[in-house]
Structure formats: C-alpha cells, structure tokens
Amino acid sequence: MCLFCDIIEGKIPSTKVYEDDKVFCFNDINPAAPVHVLVVPKKHFDDIRDIASAEDGAEYLGAVAGAVDKIAELKGLGKGFRVINNCGEDGGQTVMHVHFHVVGGVKLGEKIL
Ligand code: AMP
Ligand code: ZN
C-alpha cells in the first residue's frame, strides 16, 4: 500500500490543483506556507534516485518541471517560490513515493542553502 498511489487513484480524497497524463498535484494536508502543493508522478518511484535509474525517468522529471510551472501560474507565484524534494531517511522523506513540494505565496525566510 502506498498513500500517494491511493490518492492518485482517488481511493483517498485530496484537493487537486493540476493533473496531466504523468503527474498528479494536490494541496499538502499540513501546509508550510499559503501555497503548498505536492507534485507527484503518477507512476510509483520510491525517490529521486529511483527516477534516475528508470528508463522513463526523464519523461517523468520533465512532466514534474512542466507541472511546477503550471502551478506557479495557477497560484500566482510570479515573484518566486521554492521546490523541495526530501530524499530518504536523512533527507526527512516520510512518504516513500517521490514528490516535490512547491511552496510559496509569501516571502520565504529560513534557508539552509
Ligand atoms: P515528505 O516529508 O517530504 O515525505 O512529505 C510528505 C508530505 O505529505 C508532508 O508534507 C505531509 O503533510 C503530506 N501528506 C501526508 N498525507 C497527506 C494527505 N493525505 N494529503 C495531502 N498531503 C499529505
Ligand atoms: Zn506510490
């Protein structure tokens, strides 16, 4: 069982922001900023390393970039935003289906790099 696979399949409800044939994007249930959208490939990959080693990984990463651009437009993030991917245990990943956080809608503070 994978939480995000269930969300993509509509078995668990979510607030959809954008969808195409390769990605599903929905509001994070515990938002860290006024805009906090998760961009999730429709195919299950555990994390970004898993995408890198897949034959069709580049297609999915391209779709992720396209979705980020679309979300920025839909949510009025013209002044900027952050895209965050937590990878693996040390990276603080809690849902083991790769996803990218799009965070914005406010002047973002605290940076670690
Ligand atoms: P990460 O810690 O990078 O793996 O991110 C997982 C994210 O999934 C967290 O920001 C959670 O708030 C979010 N999340 C967990 N369950 C749900 C859910 N049912 N719907 C939307 N977002 C969720
Ligand atoms: Zn999954």
Side-chain angles (χ1 to χ4, degrees):
M1 182 252 168
C2 167
L3 175 64
F4 286 174
C5 281
D6 283 351
I7 286 178
I8 291 161
E9 288 170 27
K11 292 182 192 159
I12 292 175
S14 67
T15 307
K16 184 172 86 172
V17 174
Y18 174 73
E19 175 181 19
D20 66 21
D21 61 324
K22 293 235 162 18
V23 295
F24 192 77
C25 311
F26 52 96
N27 287 328
D28 196 292
I29 204 166
N30 186 22
V35 176
H36 186 169
V37 178
L38 299 175
V39 177
V40 184
K42 284 187 172 176
K43 181 174 171 182
H44 182 98
F45 299 97
D46 291 341
D47 60 31
I48 197 160
R49 298 168 291 195
D50 200 16
I51 293 194
S53 59
E55 206 170 290
D56 53 1
E59 279 175 51
Y60 280 91
L61 277 182
V64 166
V68 168
D69 185 41
K70 195 73 193 168
I71 289 159
E73 185 191 320
L74 289 170
K75 294 290 185 179
L77 302 181
K79 286 174 77 180
F81 54 89
R82 257 176 225 156
V83 180
I84 298 167
N85 169 251
N86 297 320
C87 179
E89 190 184 341
D90 279 5
Q93 185 178 359
T94 59
V95 178
M96 297 303 163
H97 179 137
V98 72
H99 53 279
F100 299 82
H101 301 253
V102 178
V103 181
V106 69
K107 176 93 177 159
L108 296 165
E110 209 55 32
K111 289 174 73 174
I112 62 164
L113 47 85

